[in-house]
Amino acid sequence: MAIKDLSPKNLEKARVRAVQLRISGYTLAETSAQTGLSVPTITKVFKAFESGGWAAIKPAPRGRKAGEGSGLSAEQQQQLRERLLEPPVTGLWSREAVATEVARLLGVQVSERAISRLLDEWHLDCPALKVRKPKGVRNTPAHWYRHEYEPLLAWGEQHQASLLLAFCRPARRSPDTFQLSLQTSLRKQLWLESSHWPTESWLIQVLERLIAQKKTPLALCLAGLDLRRADRLWAWLNEHETQIKLIAVPPEVELRSS
C-alpha cells in the first residue's frame, strides 16, 4: 500500500513506529522495510521528533481548509457572509445569485461549485425536501395529505403553477438568525435569512419577491411555522389567489427526506 493511501491514523502509527525503531538503533533501510515509509520521510520525521517531541510528528490534516477552494480571502468571505444576511437585489438567494453577488461586490469570478462548498461550510445548505404519501387513512398526516396537499397539486396543475416545498428553521451558522429554504420541482434551492423569527410582514415580503422572481403562479407547501393566527398573511394570500396558493404543513408531517 502506498503511503498516500494510509489513513491519517495509520500514518501516525507508522511515524511513531519509525521513531521507535530509529531510537532502538535500526538503520534507515531496516526502518523503511518495517514501516513502509521512505528514507527521506523517516529522516524528516525523526528530525521533527528531535525538535518537537511526539506531537511534532502527527500528519497534517488532509483536504482544503474551510473556504480555501473558493479563491476568496478571509476578509472577502466575511464580507460575503454579512451580505447574505440581507436579501439580494431581486428575488431570493440561490447559488447563481451568490456567484453574481461575489462578482458585483468583490470583483471576483467564482464558480458555482466553489460557491456550493462555501455554503455547505457555512451551513447555508438547504435540506432536501420531499412529501411522502403517509400510511393509514385516519391519522393527521393522511388527513392533511388528502385535504390539503392533493388539492394544492390540483390547483397547481390547473394554473400551471410552479410547485415549491419550503421549510423554516433556525439558521445553523448562527443561533440568532433564521432561514427560510425553498426547493423547486427541479430541486433548485432558494433561501432568505432573517435576524428575527419570521413575522407576517417578513413572510409577505418574501412571497412578493418570490412571485416577482418566478413570474408564474406558485403552489407553496410550507413547514416549520404555525400560521393558524397569521390573519394578515392569509388576507394577503386571498388578495393574490391567482398568483399563489399556500398550505401549511402540520408538525406531524415530515417534509425533510432521509
Side-chain angles (χ1 to χ4, degrees):
M1 179 183 293
I3 294 304
K4 66 179 181 180
D5 296 327
L6 287 175
S7 68
K9 182 177 180 180
N10 288 336
L11 181 56
E12 183 176 354
K13 288 181 178 179
R15 291 185 173 194
V16 169
R17 180 60 176 159
V19 171
Q20 292 172 336
L21 291 172
R22 291 294 288 150
I23 292 174
S24 299
Y26 283 74
T27 65
L28 288 171
E30 292 170 335
T31 302
S32 177
Q34 291 203 33
T35 62
L37 300 176
S38 67
V39 169
T41 297
I42 295 169
T43 301
K44 181 179 178 181
V45 167
F46 195 73
K47 287 182 178 179
F49 168 76
E50 288 181 315
S51 61
W54 295 109
I57 69 172
K58 289 186 176 182
R62 294 179 179 177
R64 293 187 179 98
K65 296 180 180 179
E68 190 175 52
S70 67
L72 300 179
S73 67
E75 182 179 352
Q76 288 174 322
Q77 290 182 46
Q78 182 60 32
Q79 284 184 265
L80 180 59
R81 286 169 69 102
E82 293 174 358
R83 176 66 184 92
L84 294 183
L85 287 173
E86 299 296 331
V89 177
T90 60
L92 279 69
W93 288 117
S94 65
R95 284 168 169 76
E96 298 93 328
V98 174
T100 299
E101 187 64 18
V102 169
R104 186 198 69 81
L105 180 67
L106 304 174
V108 178
Q109 297 295 326
V110 178
S111 69
E112 287 185 26
R113 184 174 181 181
I115 291 296
S116 295
R117 287 197 297 266
L118 273 178
L119 295 176
D120 290 345
E121 291 161 1
W122 294 346
H123 302 298
L124 283 174
D125 52 315
C126 305
L129 302 175
K130 185 176 182 179
V131 176
R132 290 189 174 90
K133 187 173 183 178
K135 298 178 180 179
V137 294
R138 297 184 179 179
N139 54 64
T140 298
H143 184 274
W144 173 83
Y145 191 92
R146 289 196 310 273
H147 297 283
E148 297 281 349
Y149 186 66
E150 287 185 339
L152 178 71
L153 295 179
W155 183 92
E157 184 174 353
Q158 177 186 354
H159 292 81
Q160 297 183 326
S162 300
L163 177 64
L164 297 172
L165 303 180
F167 185 75
C168 191
R169 61 175 179 172
R172 288 188 293 161
R173 71 163 171 162
S174 171
D176 300 324
T177 60
F178 298 88
Q179 182 181 8
L180 180 65
S181 307
L182 299 101
Q183 177 180 283
T184 71
S185 57
L186 298 177
R187 302 186 77 83
K188 180 179 178 179
Q189 295 177 339
L190 306 170
W191 77 92
L192 280 182
E193 288 190 89
S194 172
S195 59
H196 50 74
W197 185 249
T199 62
E200 290 182 76
S201 297
W202 186 81
L203 284 172
I204 290 172
Q205 291 175 7
V206 172
L207 297 179
E208 288 174 338
R209 281 177 162 269
L210 195 57
I211 289 173
Q213 181 173 354
K214 299 297 290 184
K215 299 178 180 178
T216 61
L218 303 173
L220 177 60
C221 183
L222 174 60
L225 293 175
D226 184 352
L227 302 179
R228 288 174 295 181
R229 298 182 180 180
D231 296 336
R232 182 181 175 189
L233 173 64
W234 292 116
W236 182 89
L237 289 167
N238 287 334
E239 293 173 0
H240 297 79
E241 59 183 5
T242 61
Q243 296 173 287
I244 183 169
K245 183 176 179 62
L246 182 149
I247 63 171
V249 182
E252 297 86 351
V253 177
E254 179 61 70
L255 260 195
R256 282 182 277 185
S257 61
S258 55

